[in-house]
Amino acid sequence: MGEQKLFIPKGYRKTKQRESILKVLERAEYPITAEHIFMELKNDGIDISLSTIYRNLEMLTKEGLTVKSYMMNEDKARYALPDKKNYLVCEKCGKIVIIDNCPFDKFKEELIEVHGFDITGHSIEVYGICPECQKK
Amino acid sequence: MGEQKLFIPKGYRKTKQRESILKVLERAEYPITAEHIFMELKNDGIDISLSTIYRNLEMLTKEGLTVKSYMMNEDKARYALPDKKNYLVCEKCGKIVIIDNCPFDKFKEELIEVHGFDITGHSIEVYGICPECQKK
DNA sequence: GTTTTTTTGCAAATCATTTGCATTTGAAAA
DNA sequence: TTTTCAAATGCAAATGATTTGCAAAAAAAC
Ligand SMILES: [Mn+2]
Ligand SMILES: [Mn+2]
Ligand SMILES: [Zn+2]
Ligand SMILES: [Zn+2]
């Protein structure tokens, strides 16, 4: 029972495009755009259509393998594996730092009690100034 | 020293369009789209251009009077006054419930210590199933 | 190998949002 | 007040990320 490797959800076919998209998302350190995936794959010498990327990201998000989010002052969506969905963004340099051990989990119960919702997921975006930018 | 009423930020002019947009945002119970503001104003008999709404929302957001966010499965931005920026969304019926007394505030310190960021703001979106939809 | 269904690529369409520009309006200055 | 001038608006056109139609290619089923 090792780490759960990336997999293609039941009912979908295994294609080199699909697998390469997942590979890029796996090595990404924070949420990235469809265009970013496209260029990354071009570097790897993998030819793929942007629409294929969008279609796969939609599927992966529907199946819960990826999470879609938008960042301040950007007009394009970003996608990431679920463990990279909560992050800090520096308002000066744009640096993105993943928040692991999401503190929000501790409040799930409180939220359930107060609002009666059955909570299935969440997304947090925190803005600030990173240590480097604070010095400047 | 009563409640801080809505105001037009220093350096900007007071126009009926600007004020009516703020009024709509004030009475809204959760984040709404530019198009929603447009229709709301049309109902009120106020004639305004969609681009004026977008231009004002951009200004208001830059000045910190409004907060922009995106919701799951939507491809349009929503805007709200800062006290309505954190919310629960029912994945079945789409109901939106504002989270007041944001639990996240309690973790600001922890986040500052761990990552050294000077935190200036945040946005939380929680997905789930509302009590009504749980019964069905 | 053949069939069936899914997936892909490409080009065209969509649609929320942005922008250029002429016109109107707010408010500072006279 | 009236004048003056930058800021704001409306309208139409442009933008650009994302979506979609359709024919060809590829994967899984038979
Ligand atoms: Mn769209
Ligand atoms: Mn755009
Ligand atoms: Zn920084
Ligand atoms: Zn519901």
Side-chain angles (χ1 to χ4, degrees):
Chain A
M1 42 170 65
E3 300 292 315
Q4 167 66 60
K5 266 288 173 189
L6 281 188
F7 62 99
I8 288 169
K10 189 80 184 176
Y12 297 94
R13 293 181 179 175
K14 178 165 153 182
T15 68
K16 74 166 190 298
Q17 290 89 337
R18 198 157 273 166
E19 292 196 301
S20 62
I21 290 171
L22 282 171
K23 227 171 290 175
V24 172
L25 287 166
E26 192 172 35
R27 65 177 190 242
E29 305 199 316
Y30 46 79
I32 54 181
T33 65
E35 183 73 30
H36 182 99
I37 295 175
F38 180 74
M39 293 187 297
E40 198 80 353
L41 288 177
K42 180 159 282 179
N43 281 350
D44 296 6
I46 294 171
D47 204 21
I48 186 174
S49 162
L50 242 190
S51 43
T52 294
I53 295 178
Y54 276 112
R55 274 190 279 236
N56 273 289
L57 288 173
E58 182 186 24
M59 179 279 271
L60 292 169
T61 299
K62 175 154 67 88
E63 298 300 331
L65 273 90
T66 53
V67 179
K68 186 179 180 180
S69 65
Y70 287 86
M71 286 183 30
M72 224 181 185
N73 298 323
E74 278 191 356
D75 64 335
K76 17 184 197 287
R78 286 179 179 249
Y79 300 82
L81 300 190
D83 60 320
K84 300 166 194 162
K85 80 182 155 56
N86 301 315
Y87 47 84
L88 293 161
V89 189
C90 177
E91 297 199 47
K92 289 241 167 118
C93 71
K95 186 192 315 183
I96 302 171
V97 178
I98 297 302
I99 304 173
D100 357 66
N101 307 124
C102 175
F104 191 76
D105 294 335
K106 302 175 191 163
F107 279 98
K108 214 178 251 186
E109 296 312 315
E110 184 175 323
L111 221 47
I112 292 171
E113 265 188 40
V114 176
H115 296 98
F117 264 62
D118 175 15
I119 295 176
T120 56
H122 71 264
S123 170
I124 294 181
E125 196 179 346
V126 184
Y127 313 105
I129 313 293
C130 77
E132 288 68 41
C133 289
Q134 283 173 48
K135 290 173 200 156
K136 291 170 212 162
Chain B
M1 41 170 66
E3 301 291 315
Q4 166 67 59
K5 266 288 173 189
L6 282 189
F7 62 99
I8 288 170
K10 190 80 183 177
Y12 297 95
R13 293 181 178 172
K14 179 166 154 182
T15 68
K16 74 166 191 302
Q17 291 89 336
R18 196 156 274 167
E19 292 195 302
S20 61
I21 291 171
L22 281 171
K23 228 172 289 174
V24 172
L25 287 166
E26 191 172 36
R27 65 177 192 242
E29 305 199 315
Y30 46 79
I32 54 181
T33 64
E35 182 73 31
H36 183 99
I37 295 174
F38 180 74
M39 294 188 295
E40 198 79 352
L41 289 177
K42 179 159 283 176
N43 281 350
D44 297 5
I46 294 170
D47 205 21
I48 186 174
S49 162
L50 241 190
S51 43
T52 295
I53 295 178
Y54 276 112
R55 274 190 278 236
N56 273 288
L57 289 172
E58 181 186 23
M59 179 278 271
L60 292 169
T61 299
K62 175 154 66 92
E63 298 300 331
L65 272 90
T66 54
V67 179
K68 185 179 181 181
S69 65
Y70 287 86
M71 287 183 30
M72 225 182 182
N73 297 323
E74 278 191 355
D75 62 336
K76 17 183 197 288
R78 286 179 178 250
Y79 300 81
L81 300 189
D83 61 321
K84 300 167 194 161
K85 80 183 154 59
N86 300 315
Y87 47 84
L88 294 160
V89 188
C90 177
E91 297 200 46
K92 289 239 166 118
C93 71
K95 186 192 315 184
I96 302 171
V97 179
I98 297 302
I99 304 173
D100 355 67
N101 306 125
C102 175
F104 192 76
D105 294 334
K106 303 175 190 164
F107 279 98
K108 214 177 254 187
E109 296 311 316
E110 185 175 324
L111 221 46
I112 293 172
E113 264 187 41
V114 175
H115 296 98
F117 264 63
D118 175 15
I119 295 177
T120 56
H122 71 264
S123 170
I124 294 181
E125 196 180 348
V126 184
Y127 313 105
I129 313 293
C130 76
E132 288 68 41
C133 289
Q134 283 174 48
K135 290 174 198 154
K136 290 171 210 159

